Amino acid sequence: MAQVPQTFLDAPAVRTWCGLALRELGRAREEIDAINVYPVADGDTGTNLYLTVESAATAVEAVFAGYGTGGAEPSLADAVRAMAHGALIGARGNSGTILAQLLRGMAQVLAASGDASRADGPGLRLALRRAADSARQAVAHPVEGTVLTVASAAADAAGTADGDCRTVARAAYEGARTALAATPDQLTVLRRAGVVDAGGRGLVAVLGALVEACTGEAVGPAPSRGGSAGHARVPELSAAGPEDTGAGGTRAEAAHGLAEADVAGSDCAGAAGTGGPAFEVIYLLEAGDAAVARLRARLDALGDSLVVVGGDGLWNVHVHVDDAGAAVEAGVEAGRPYRIRITHFGHGDAHTGRERPPRERAQRAVVAVVPGEGLAGLYAEAGATTVLARPGEPPASGELVQALRRAHAREVVLLPNDAELRHTAAAAAEQARTEGIRVALIPTRSAVQGIAALAVHEPGRRFDEDVVQMTSAAGATRYGEVVVAEHQSWTTAGICQAGDVLGLIDGDVAVIGADVTATARTVLDRMLQAGGELVTLVVGEEAPDGVAGHLEARVRDSYLAVDTVVYHGGRQGALLLVGVE
């Protein structure tokens, strides 16, 4: 349906803009993914921008839904603030994080305009200027020839336009489009690949949607290839995913190897690549301005591609590092990080301008859902692409599909690590298969089963053999956990009251107690009654001090020839996870 042209920007126009931007990025997603060579040639910029705008559009729709059907509608300030907040909490990747700050910068100006219901041409000019400036300030080390350059050019062009929102939006779009075509002249890696900047290409699509929202007229296609004639090649890009990591020796040795990887931090991660950081770390952060300023300095020293966007106590942090655990710990020191995502690049390019050729897709990768930051770091250090599942916030199918794509491998083993995610994981695996990815879903029901599977993972084996061995290792691992009851309930062990300590074995409540350590000891003893060679303990952040040491001593004194390995899971929901195999 054709859009009705208007000379101003109001809440319905913002709603239309978000919908059109989502549509355009959906159409251009694969094209933008394909030209993604900088700063990391991981082929996901189009997808990340789409998911960021999808979150923004969803937030705007929620505001409109809140007003019902009575004829009332939100103000311009309501709409742009929702758009900016949605983009902030849903931002993905480097370009998505920068786009979120662009939208936030616009929202700051538009929400403060004198007319609460609409903004005129001069207001839009100021908003575009604030957007470009704030995005540049959010990036620790800005590089020209990127989305930042395109945003600045859009603001510059808009600043010279006299007229209403239609004129300003067109000028911004044309300025951005011209700057985009020139990006290969500013970045050698783009010129050699024969493409324009992928993030900039996405921004041009977003600005084209703004033009259509204001004028009712669709704009022409944006360039995706470098060179004046537009005949430069578009490479087939599918970046390497997780580094192939095998696990030789006995199962206990493999498990202890994982523990050593967790402790080694940057040494193990640095081995994954020789020209840039091995991990992308992204998280939302609740923190004050002073704490964020200190965080910026610390993360800048740890890695590169640092982008910190947001404000008013809520931030989105993006950085590329060799030590993923240190980046998360820095966030913990600054405030409360959550929705943490850690991606292993393998042989990834860094955002430093260093040139390296596009990489081939990895043969095999592992994608795992993990319940806490500590385990996310452990799995990532072992080469897996992780999806963090916070308590009460299980990942959706689309998030798992995105992780399967980020793995950039021909064959992927998916570890849901939760019985409740069985159907969600199956749907994600089926979707990935339609995109040409060979996916094997191992129905792990706990993170400790996933650890067992990952420890015997050998990429050098045939895919089917590797899946069989991983499935066997997971199936041979009994799993337990210790949690605190939130309310009164009937259980398989009787009635529990709020505050009781519950010990679960293989998903069922087996023990109701009052003391965490005593309950954990009972769970461990019952699990070892059937025998075992290795005990895995994953200690949550809220577990009492000394519980792991007590259980280690219990195993050492009472069970001969049984090894114990301990990991720290961070905020994982359960006080303790136990695995026995």
Side-chain angles (χ1 to χ4, degrees):
M1 179 183 296
Q3 304 301 320
V4 178
Q6 55 187 67
T7 60
F8 52 83
L9 195 66
D10 59 5
V14 170
R15 183 187 196 182
T16 300
W17 177 28
C18 289
L20 292 172
L22 189 62
R23 182 197 69 187
E24 291 306 307
L25 286 172
R27 291 174 175 175
R29 181 184 65 80
E30 291 185 0
E31 170 200 332
I32 297 173
D33 282 346
I35 64 172
N36 176 200
V37 299
Y38 181 88
V40 176
D42 51 359
D44 64 357
T45 292
T47 299
N48 286 337
L49 289 171
Y50 177 87
L51 292 171
T52 302
V53 172
E54 181 181 46
S55 183
T58 299
V60 172
E61 289 299 326
V63 167
F64 273 85
Y67 279 79
T69 58
E73 62 184 30
S75 66
L76 173 62
D78 290 336
V80 295
R81 284 171 180 154
M83 173 185 70
H85 181 74
L88 176 67
I89 65 175
R92 302 296 184 91
N94 189 68
S95 294
T97 307
I98 292 173
L99 177 60
Q101 186 67 6
L102 288 168
L103 297 179
R104 176 179 172 82
M106 292 188 69
Q108 288 174 327
V109 172
L110 296 175
S113 61
D115 188 340
S117 64
R118 63 179 63 181
D120 55 12
L124 182 56
R125 286 202 302 269
L126 290 174
L128 290 166
R129 181 78 269 162
R130 173 71 68 84
D133 292 346
S134 63
R136 190 170 286 269
Q137 291 166 4
V139 177
H141 303 285
V143 174
E144 298 305 327
T146 65
V147 63
L148 297 175
T149 305
V150 176
S152 294
D156 291 343
T160 63
D162 292 324
D164 56 30
C165 284
R166 295 174 298 182
T167 303
V168 173
R170 280 194 179 279
Y173 171 75
E174 292 299 336
R177 195 172 185 274
T178 300
L180 176 66
T183 54
D185 296 328
Q186 297 171 290
L187 272 180
T188 304
V189 65
L190 299 179
R191 184 171 66 253
R192 288 189 174 180
V195 298
V196 298
D197 179 67
R201 169 67 181 86
L203 178 58
V204 168
V206 172
L207 292 173
L210 178 61
V211 172
E212 186 173 351
C214 292
T215 68
E217 301 173 1
V219 298
S224 62
R225 302 178 183 182
S228 59
H231 296 302
R233 65 185 178 87
V234 176
E236 295 180 4
L237 295 175
S238 51
E243 183 80 2
D244 287 347
T245 55
T250 67
R251 170 66 186 90
E253 290 169 345
H256 283 294
L258 281 175
E260 290 163 4
D262 189 37
V263 173
S266 61
D267 290 337
C268 293
T274 57
F279 301 102
E280 177 185 58
V281 178
I282 306 174
Y283 49 80
L284 293 178
L285 177 70
E286 294 178 357
D289 292 355
V292 170
R294 293 190 295 270
L295 175 67
R296 288 179 191 270
R298 181 170 178 187
L299 292 180
D300 194 28
L302 284 175
D304 58 35
S305 292
L306 175 61
V307 184
V308 181
V309 304
D312 301 321
L314 180 62
W315 309 82
N316 191 308
V317 179
H318 170 283
V319 68
H320 291 180
V321 293
D322 277 330
D323 190 342
V328 174
E329 288 171 5
V332 172
E333 292 179 5
R336 187 179 80 87
Y338 61 104
R339 291 193 184 180
I340 299 169
R341 293 189 297 274
I342 300 175
T343 303
H344 188 280
F345 286 133
H347 296 285
D349 260 10
H351 295 222
T352 57
R354 290 194 289 263
E355 305 167 24
R356 292 200 291 167
R359 295 136 306 161
E360 289 296 323
R361 186 178 293 270
Q363 181 61 33
R364 191 172 307 162
V366 175
V367 170
V369 180
V370 292
E373 296 92 338
L375 282 180
L378 169 66
Y379 273 77
E381 300 268 359
T385 296
T386 61
V387 178
L388 188 68
R390 300 292 303 173
E393 298 180 16
S397 177
E399 191 171 354
L400 296 185
V401 171
Q402 171 65 358
L404 291 168
R405 292 172 181 151
R406 289 202 320 266
H408 295 293
R410 299 180 180 89
E411 302 166 342
V412 181
V413 178
L414 177 58
L415 305 174
N417 291 340
D418 187 341
E420 297 297 324
L421 288 178
R422 179 182 57 185
H423 297 299
T424 301
E430 188 59 35
Q431 173 61 36
R433 291 181 188 118
T434 66
E435 300 177 10
I437 304 172
R438 188 181 182 187
V439 182
L441 172 60
I442 297 179
T444 48
R445 294 171 289 174
S446 170
V448 292
Q449 289 188 324
I451 291 173
L454 189 59
V456 300
H457 169 53
E458 289 190 14
R461 283 193 293 236
R462 288 194 311 108
F463 185 59
D464 291 339
E465 293 178 355
D466 198 29
V467 171
V468 167
Q469 291 299 318
M470 294 177 72
T471 302
S472 177
T477 302
R478 300 190 70 194
Y479 63 97
E481 59 183 301
V482 177
V483 300
V484 175
E486 296 181 356
H487 48 74
Q488 185 185 61
S489 178
W490 288 89
T491 76
T492 52
I495 300 175
C496 70
Q497 305 295 328
D500 283 347
V501 181
L502 307 181
L504 289 79
I505 298 176
D506 293 337
D508 294 323
V509 177
V511 183
I512 300 176
D515 179 75
V516 173
T517 301
T519 302
R521 183 175 63 248
T522 302
V523 168
L524 180 61
D525 286 341
R526 291 191 184 183
M527 294 178 70
L528 283 170
Q529 284 178 357
E533 298 176 355
L534 176 68
V535 172
T536 300
L537 302 174
V538 182
V539 184
E541 183 179 65
E542 297 181 358
D545 294 338
V547 64
H550 178 87
L551 296 178
E552 282 187 287
R554 175 70 173 175
V555 172
R556 184 172 57 252
D557 297 340
S558 303
Y559 301 95
L560 298 177
V562 178
D563 289 324
T564 305
V565 61
V566 179
Y567 305 117
H568 295 281
R571 296 187 181 99
Q572 62 183 19
L575 298 175
L576 181 71
L577 300 178
V578 183
V580 173
E581 44 188 307

